[in-house]
Amino acid sequence: MKEEQIKKEFAAAKEQYAALGVDVEKAIEKLNSVSISIHCWQADDVLGFENPDGELTGGIQTTGNYPGKARTIDELKKDIGKVLNLIPGKHRLSLHAIYGDFGGKLVDRDQIEPKHFQTWMNWAKETGAKLDFNSTFFSHSKSGNYSLSSFDPEIRNFWKEHLRRCRRIGEEMGRQQGDACVHNIWIHDGEKDKSVSRIQHRQLLKESLDEVLAEKISTEYLKDSVECKLFGIGSESYVVGSHEFYMGYAVKNNMLLTLDAGHFHPTEGIADKISSVLLFVPEITLHVSRPERWDSDHVVILNDALLELTQEIVRSGQMEKIHIGLDYFDASINRIGAYVVGIRSTQKALLQALLEPTEKLREYENQDNNFQRLAYLEELKAMPWNAVYNYYCLQQGVPVGNEYIKEIESYESEVTSKR
């Protein structure tokens, strides 16, 4: 699109929103302040660099074999750098523990240290990105069905040490970047069929977490967040870390709770949970994904579930307490494209929510003018929010509209297709 056309459409959109009492410039400023935590694992199908030829386990799976995935840290950094150049705003990168710079050596999970992620911390300083971290309990010979909740004390101790070290790595990331690293804790523990030891495993998980989290680390550098899941492949009947378990644990310990869009029943959204959870925990981490009939981790698109989620984020009035991260992996399409589509879709949904005349709608609601409320909610769907997003992209010096498609095709031709 031509710059003149973009500005003209923006001016018209700005006037339309002003008629509703919406400050478009303020909405853009707010959107620009939101740093999305981009997941590193879309670039290489969740393989990492600890044992890239190993099997992906833990009840998750990728499908497809599109050529060009990142095979080394340098390739991954290059791919993420390309993604950052195609989206507006400043963002974060979320790393799993298996993505360390191990120098070609096998460093077991209970031996990882901050030094193995120093090159990532250097990269973050150079790019202006911030880092988040995830302990990795899957895809390991000691994973099995259970990790922190295993009946075997040797297995539990191994994973407790992994968790300790991950927290210290996250702490160092937070210290070096001058901003707290969100450290996400998700374990795959569970059973394929009926378990008769549910409470015993959950008691062990509680004890393991209590022991490791007893090591106090300042929230200035590290914010721990616990994540539930309904089921996984191979844990269809029972998952130790259920929503009820982690909700209770987060509330009791005044810590962050992670809500993943794909970790609940297929028809259960996480949008409605935000307003409840915020009343009881200090902050929330979101893993934005697109479940198709199960936790399939499809690329995020601009659908009703995403829009409802971002509306609740904005309407809560507590955006500063909500950490927005992405979590999906599709190996069947261009991986750079998967990143850019998902990130832009999330931003577009956020922008629509920020352009909502919420106070006007609440006035109607308080007066029981429910027809007017519904009518405005419907009319807002056809408002020219995309003209505002295009202008935002122009401001930020990134491709406008579908221009990013050609950029990604060129990158594939020149870089990823030669891997």
Side-chain angles (χ1 to χ4, degrees), residues 399-410:
V400 176
N402 60 17
E403 292 172 359
Y404 69 87
I405 297 175
K406 288 184 178 179
E407 292 247 11
I408 292 171
E409 289 173 342
S410 295

Side-chain angles (χ1 to χ4, degrees), residues 361 364 369-380:
L361 294 171
Y364 287 133
N369 291 326
N370 295 331
F371 150 67
Q372 290 88 337
R373 179 188 61 187
L374 182 62
Y376 266 104
L377 285 170
E378 285 302 297
E379 289 302 316
L380 285 168

Side-chain angles (χ1 to χ4, degrees), residues 76-219:
L76 179 55
K77 288 177 180 175
K78 188 169 185 177
D79 288 353
I80 296 298
K82 183 61 180 179
V83 170
L84 294 176
N85 287 333
L86 297 175
I87 55 174
K90 289 287 185 182
H91 300 283
R92 307 173 71 91
L93 179 66
S94 183
L95 292 168
H96 251 288
I98 52 176
Y99 287 84
D101 190 348
F102 303 117
K105 299 177 182 178
L106 179 60
V107 180
D108 214 343
R109 306 269 176 94
D110 64 343
Q111 297 298 315
I112 58 174
E113 300 177 54
K115 68 180 182 181
H116 297 120
F117 296 86
Q118 188 59 55
T119 57
W120 280 114
M121 291 182 248
N122 295 341
W123 173 88
K125 291 175 187 175
E126 294 165 4
T127 60
K130 302 289 176 63
L131 298 176
D132 292 319
F133 201 59
N134 303 260
S135 9
T136 309
F137 292 89
F138 53 85
S139 299
H140 190 278
S141 59
K142 286 187 169 68
S143 291
N145 288 336
Y146 297 98
S147 59
L148 291 176
S149 68
S150 173
F151 286 144
D152 185 339
E154 183 180 340
I155 297 295
R156 287 200 312 279
N157 288 337
F158 176 88
W159 291 114
K160 282 188 284 188
E161 183 60 25
H162 172 67
L163 182 56
R164 283 190 193 94
R165 288 171 176 262
C166 285
R167 297 185 73 227
R168 292 167 190 165
I169 291 166
E171 177 188 21
E172 184 59 25
M173 288 176 173
R175 181 178 288 109
Q176 290 194 27
Q177 66 194 14
D179 187 68
C181 167
V182 175
H183 169 233
N184 194 62
I185 303 169
W186 173 75
I187 63 171
H188 61 281
D189 298 31
E191 288 277 356
K192 179 179 178 64
D193 219 324
K194 305 302 181 184
S195 171
V196 296
S197 305
R198 292 172 185 259
I199 196 165
Q200 288 83 4
H201 283 296
R202 287 180 172 140
Q203 180 66 37
L204 288 170
L205 175 56
K206 179 181 180 298
E207 291 173 1
S208 294
L209 291 172
D210 287 347
E211 180 183 327
V212 176
L213 298 179
E215 179 184 351
K216 299 302 178 184
I217 297 176
S218 172
T219 53

Side-chain angles (χ1 to χ4, degrees), residues 196-249:
V196 296
S197 305
R198 292 172 185 259
I199 196 165
Q200 288 83 4
H201 283 296
R202 287 180 172 140
Q203 180 66 37
L204 288 170
L205 175 56
K206 179 181 180 298
E207 291 173 1
S208 294
L209 291 172
D210 287 347
E211 180 183 327
V212 176
L213 298 179
E215 179 184 351
K216 299 302 178 184
I217 297 176
S218 172
T219 53
E220 180 182 356
Y221 304 125
L222 183 79
K223 295 181 178 181
D224 292 301
S225 190
V226 286
E227 178 182 6
C228 73
K229 190 169 185 177
L230 176 66
F231 80 97
I233 301 298
S235 59
E236 292 87 355
S237 290
Y238 170 56
V239 168
V240 183
S242 64
H243 178 57
E244 293 76 12
F245 177 90
Y246 280 129
M247 180 75 178
Y249 195 87

